[in-house]
């Protein structure tokens, strides 16, 4: 029994050691010597011209009336099987892709070039002193950002998908802090305590409907679309990005749990809190960011911004999708 216990301990060790060793990427909050500005030295793609995240400047969006509602399938059912929550040394990741659980969670439509299956979701956050979203909105960072990573159903593995410009689709959601907790996040927030150290993971007691983590269904028609990359090395430029306008609400204490419970891989004896695990915005170069039919191109949203005169055509497009929330 003693030996078995030791075996388990050692099993988790190599992960931790590898992540903390040299030649690895990190965030500045971990060690500025391997932070985002150095990633291109490890992987040239990270210095490419289609990198993510980006600043979403709402004065410069291009309206695309073809960007209608995204079809979410399987988002409204708790799938069979188990979901594993893990501290991978850079973020908290919920794996959605166990053979049983994943097949039926997909997105399509909304101008996506195909159908995409959900693989995992994870978060980027700040510190007690600052916000930590990756995408910024009119130059402002929001408190936290959720990414749900999907793979084009045409491809069987991540490696295969990375060989194609439309291989992955990631949905990005901003968070907004509220005084009351968002109870839909209780399972994840409670799990954080079990994965305080890098390499730890925990099987959640049950799966749940992914839709409960998102803003209200009636608010998902407003989004921004652009072509970009993974926001961590290898920074593959294979991601169709969708960043939603409507933020998810999260309680102040719940956000604090992310900021204060988790730790980066230990270097030596220092235990470093996992904070500011975001990559700063990358140059847009000659890319465009498109606004969906129902997105607020400029101003009028909870985050403020500048006003723009709307053409009658645009107004029609804006007014079109209004319908009572189910
Ligand atoms: C952080 O986000 C909040 C919105 O929840 C915003 O009011 C605040 O200005 C942001 N702080 C900074 C420094 O951008
Ligand atoms: C998580 O940790 C708590 C103690 O902090 C423990 O009671 C609980 O059983 C753990 N949950 C799982 C799923 O391991
Ligand atoms: Zn991410």
């Amino acid at each position: 029994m003693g030996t078995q216990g030791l075996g388990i301990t050692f099993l988790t060790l190599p992960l931790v050691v590898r992540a903390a060793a040299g030649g690895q990427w990190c965030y500045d909050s971990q060690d500025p010597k391997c932070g985002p500005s150095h990633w291109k030295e490890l992987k040239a793609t990270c210095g490419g011209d289609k990198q993510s995240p980006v600043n979403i400047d709402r004065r410069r969006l291009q309206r695309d009336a073809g960007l209608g509602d995204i079809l979410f399938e399987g988002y409204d059912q708790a799938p069979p099987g188990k979901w594993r929550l893990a501290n991978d040394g850079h973020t908290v990741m919920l794996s959605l892709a166990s053979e049983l659980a994943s097949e039926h969670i997909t997105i399509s439509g909304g101008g996506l070039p195909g159908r995409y299956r959900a693989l995992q979701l994870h978060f980027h956050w700040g510190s007690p002193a600052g916000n930590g979203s990756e995408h910024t909105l009119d130059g402002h960072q929001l408190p936290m950002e959720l990414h749900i990573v999907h793979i084009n159903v045409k491809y069987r593995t991540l490696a295969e998908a990375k060989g194609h410009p439309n291989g992955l689709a990631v949905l990005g959601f901003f968070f907004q802090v509220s005084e009351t907790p968002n109870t839909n996040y209780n399972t994840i927030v409670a799990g954080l305590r079990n994965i305080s150290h890098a390499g730890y993971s925990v099987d959640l007691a049950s799966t749940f409907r992914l839709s409960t983590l998102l803003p209200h269904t009636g608010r998902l028609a407003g989004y921004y679309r652009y072509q970009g990359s993974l926001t961590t090395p290898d920074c593959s430029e294979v991601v169709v990005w969708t960043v939603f306008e409507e933020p998810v609400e999260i309680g102040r204490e719940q956000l604090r749990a992310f900021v204060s419970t988790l730790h980066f891989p230990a270097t030596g004896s220092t235990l470093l809190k996992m904070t500011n695990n975001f990559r700063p915005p990358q140059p847009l170069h000659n890319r465009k960011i498109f606004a969906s039919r129902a997105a607020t191109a400029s101003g009028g949203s909870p985050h403020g911004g500048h006003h723009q005169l709307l053409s009658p055509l645009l107004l029609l497009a804006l007014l079109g999708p209004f319908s009572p929330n189910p």
Side-chain angles (χ1 to χ4, degrees):
M1 235 161 72
T3 0
Q4 200 178 8
L6 270 179
I8 287 165
T9 309
F10 283 122
L11 259 181
T12 64
L13 262 178
L15 247 179
V16 178
V17 171
R18 190 167 52 96
Q24 289 290 322
W25 64 273
C26 70
Y27 292 105
D28 284 338
S29 50
Q30 228 173 322
D31 181 357
K33 291 197 290 295
C34 50
S37 61
H38 294 281
W39 293 355
K40 56 182 180 293
E41 298 153 23
L42 297 167
K43 201 73 196 169
T45 318
C46 298
D49 56 8
K50 290 195 188 69
Q51 288 293 292
S52 294
V54 295
N55 174 45
I56 298 167
D57 181 346
R58 285 181 290 181
R59 291 163 309 177
R60 281 166 221 258
L61 296 172
Q62 181 160 326
R63 176 79 58 186
D64 183 348
L67 298 178
D69 287 357
I70 291 168
L71 180 61
F72 292 86
E73 290 181 276
Y75 265 71
D76 223 15
Q77 283 146 22
K82 279 217 172 94
W83 280 346
R84 177 163 289 190
L85 192 69
N87 175 341
D88 74 353
H90 302 292
T91 185
V92 171
M93 183 180 292
L94 182 63
S95 304
L96 307 169
S98 81
E99 307 80 62
L100 264 178
S102 73
E103 291 307 326
H104 305 295
I105 305 180
T106 63
I107 51 170
S108 57
L112 290 169
R115 184 185 182 83
Y116 292 81
R117 175 169 61 85
L119 287 180
Q120 49 100 336
L121 62 83
H122 63 267
F123 302 86
H124 301 271
W125 58 87
S127 70
N131 294 345
S133 69
E134 294 212 298
H135 288 91
T136 54
L137 204 52
D138 297 332
H140 296 293
Q141 218 175 355
L142 285 118
M144 184 160 84
E145 189 170 332
L146 160 65
H147 289 158
I148 312 181
V149 180
H150 300 72
I151 183 171
N152 194 318
V153 296
K154 283 199 283 193
Y155 309 122
R156 303 213 5 245
T157 64
L158 201 54
E160 191 186 354
K162 282 182 178 179
H164 303 270
N166 294 329
L168 300 173
V170 182
L171 305 183
F173 296 88
F174 293 121
F175 284 82
Q176 173 171 287
V177 177
S178 63
E179 292 309 322
T180 50
N182 178 343
T183 55
N184 294 326
Y185 275 82
N186 282 357
T187 309
I188 289 176
V189 170
L192 299 181
R193 289 208 282 168
N194 300 64
I195 57 166
S196 58
H197 298 285
Y200 285 17
S201 67
V202 63
D203 283 330
L204 298 183
S206 59
T207 65
F208 50 85
R209 293 176 293 130
L210 267 195
S211 61
T212 62
L213 298 183
L214 312 188
H216 194 284
T217 314
R219 299 284 168 76
L220 296 176
Y223 59 84
Y224 310 112
R225 167 69 47 75
Y226 77 98
Q227 194 71 33
S229 75
L230 296 176
T231 67
T232 57
D234 57 9
C235 308
S236 292
E237 296 181 332
V238 298
V239 179
V240 182
W241 272 97
T242 306
V243 179
F244 290 84
E245 190 168 62
E246 182 76 8
V248 181
E249 301 238 330
I250 190 156
R252 194 171 298 282
E253 293 303 319
Q254 293 178 310
L255 178 61
R256 200 198 306 275
F258 280 88
V259 171
S260 66
T261 312
L262 299 144
H263 297 86
F264 282 127
T267 45
S269 57
T270 35
L271 211 50
L272 206 52
K273 291 242 196 271
M274 188 181 279
T275 56
N276 295 326
N277 59 349
F278 60 87
R279 184 189 200 189
Q282 302 298 301
L284 200 53
H285 293 296
N286 53 13
R287 287 176 290 173
K288 283 210 165 69
I289 304 180
F290 298 92
S292 73
R293 195 158 61 209
T296 316
S298 186
S301 93
H303 312 297
H306 300 270
H307 253 290
Q308 190 182 53
L309 287 176
L310 299 174
S311 75
L313 201 66
L314 220 68
L315 262 178
L316 271 179
L318 279 169
L319 291 172
F322 282 156
S323 63
N325 291 340

